[in-house]
Amino acid sequence: MRLSDVLSKPLTSEFKQIDGFLSNAKLNCGKQKKIDVGVVALPYFCISCEDDLTFNSNGELFCIGINDRLISIDSVLKCPRCGAFVPVWFLVESKGEAHALAPEVRVLKRTEKLTENVQLSRGQYGDFSELLEKADRAYRDELGAGAIVYLRKILELVTEQTAEAEEIETKKANGSPKPFKEVLESVDKRRRIIPREFSDNGYKLFGELSDVVHSDYDEHLGLKKYDTLRRLVIGVLDNIKINRELLEAIGTLGWNAAEVPQHE
C-alpha cells in the first residue's frame, strides 16, 4: 500500500502500513520535500460537468516536516473532464518515525478549499450526502458536537420526508408538531427505515445524538461517539436506499406495493 491509498480513503483512527515515502531520511521541521507516492483520488461534484467525479492529483506531492511523527502534505486535485481544481491539505501521523522504510500512518486531518466550480460530492445518498460530508468535515476539524448535529439532522430529515411520502401525520390536531419519537415510530412501523439489527432502539439512536448536542455541545463526547453513531445513521440511509430500490423493482414488474409484505 502506498501513501496515496491512505490519502484517498475516508478518515479512520486505524493506522495502515505503507511503503516508505521519505527515502529513510528524516524530514526536519519546516523542510519541504517532493514525494512520489502515487495518485490521490477523491470524489467531488463538478459544477461544470454536473456530475460526481473522481478528482486526481497529477503525481508528485509536496510535504513539509513537522516532527518525527507528523507530516503536512499539500496537493491539488483536478476534474478528469474539465480541469476544475480543488486544493487539499492533509496532516499525516505516523505510529513510529515517519521516515521509516514501512511506516504505519493515518490521516489526522483533511481540509479542502472548495472553489466556485467544485462542491462536495453528492454521493450515493442523494440530498443527504452533503450533510454526511459536512458531518465528516466537522469531525475532521475536531468539532465533535457540530458533527453530531449534522448526523441528527439527517435522521430528522429522513424521518420527516418518509412521513410526508407515506402521508403520515406529523402534527397534532392543534397544529403543533408531534413528538419526534411518535413520528419515528409511525414511520418505522409503515416503512421499516430502522435496520432490524437495532429496530427496537431507533429512538434511542436519536436520543444519543441529542444528548451530545444538549450536553453543552460536548466536543469530546461527540468525537468519542462519532464513528459509532455515524455507522448507525449510515445503516438507516442504506436501509432506505435498499427499500427504495425494491419499491422501484416492484413498480417495473407492475406489482402493487401495498400487496407486498413488509419485513418483520
Side-chain angles (χ1 to χ4, degrees):
M1 179 180 289
R2 305 185 73 185
L3 179 59
S4 60
D5 296 316
V6 176
L7 300 180
S8 300
K9 293 179 180 178
L11 269 66
T12 174
S13 59
E14 296 181 10
F15 287 92
K16 298 291 184 180
Q17 189 171 56
I18 62 170
D19 298 333
F21 59 96
L22 293 175
S23 304
N24 200 29
K26 181 179 178 180
L27 187 62
N28 292 324
C29 180
K31 295 297 183 180
Q32 187 180 68
K33 180 180 179 65
K34 183 184 291 187
I35 55 175
D36 183 5
V37 296
V39 176
V40 179
L42 291 170
Y44 294 98
F45 182 81
C46 180
I47 295 176
S48 298
C49 300
E50 299 183 340
D51 198 4
D52 271 331
L53 296 168
T54 299
F55 283 51
N56 302 296
S57 64
N58 60 357
E60 294 180 325
L61 306 178
F62 287 90
C63 66
I64 298 176
I66 299 177
N67 58 35
D68 287 347
R69 297 181 55 204
L70 291 176
I71 297 290
S72 171
I73 297 178
D74 293 319
S75 66
V76 177
L77 310 188
K78 291 186 177 181
C79 172
R81 294 182 187 171
C82 70
F85 64 90
V86 52
V88 185
W89 169 78
F90 303 89
L91 179 62
V92 176
E93 179 186 27
S94 175
K95 198 171 185 178
E97 294 180 331
H99 61 277
L101 290 175
E104 294 182 55
V105 303
R106 64 181 177 182
V107 178
L108 286 181
K109 284 190 177 183
R110 185 183 79 211
T111 302
E112 56 268 283
K113 176 60 177 178
L114 300 178
T115 66
E116 60 183 8
N117 295 317
V118 182
Q119 295 179 350
L120 297 174
S121 171
R122 299 188 178 181
Q124 59 179 318
Y125 301 115
D127 294 339
F128 300 106
S129 293
E130 184 174 357
L131 285 174
L132 189 60
E133 177 60 25
K134 286 181 177 179
D136 288 343
R137 293 181 75 185
Y139 175 71
R140 293 197 296 265
D141 290 338
E142 298 184 359
L143 301 174
I148 299 300
V149 166
Y150 284 118
L151 292 182
R152 190 179 74 155
K153 189 63 177 178
I154 290 172
L155 186 59
E156 288 177 337
L157 287 176
V158 79
T159 301
E160 292 168 0
Q161 290 184 15
T162 304
E164 182 178 356
E166 294 295 322
E167 298 182 347
I168 295 173
E169 187 57 61
T170 60
K171 294 184 178 180
K172 300 178 182 178
N174 62 7
S176 61
K178 288 183 177 180
F180 182 77
K181 179 179 181 180
E182 185 177 335
V183 177
L184 178 59
E185 288 176 345
S186 297
V187 167
D188 193 47
K189 184 177 181 180
R190 180 81 61 84
R191 191 46 66 197
R192 299 296 191 195
I193 68 171
I194 305 297
R196 68 174 62 184
E197 289 81 2
F198 62 101
S199 59
D200 293 335
N201 294 305
Y203 186 73
K204 189 173 182 180
L205 169 60
F206 182 77
E208 288 276 356
L209 295 169
S210 299
D211 284 347
V212 175
V213 174
H214 294 151
S215 298
D216 296 322
Y217 286 81
D218 192 321
E219 302 291 359
H220 178 71
L221 184 62
L223 294 173
K224 182 178 179 180
K225 291 189 172 185
Y226 182 76
D227 284 342
T228 300
L229 293 175
R230 183 185 189 277
R231 284 197 296 270
L232 295 178
V233 171
I234 287 290
V236 174
L237 293 176
D238 283 338
N239 208 42
I240 291 172
K241 185 173 182 287
I242 291 171
N243 284 341
R244 183 178 297 130
E245 290 172 350
L246 288 175
L247 290 176
E248 290 175 354
I250 290 168
T252 60
L253 291 173
W255 298 352
N256 183 345
E259 298 173 354
V260 179
Q262 298 297 312
H263 294 293
E264 297 296 336

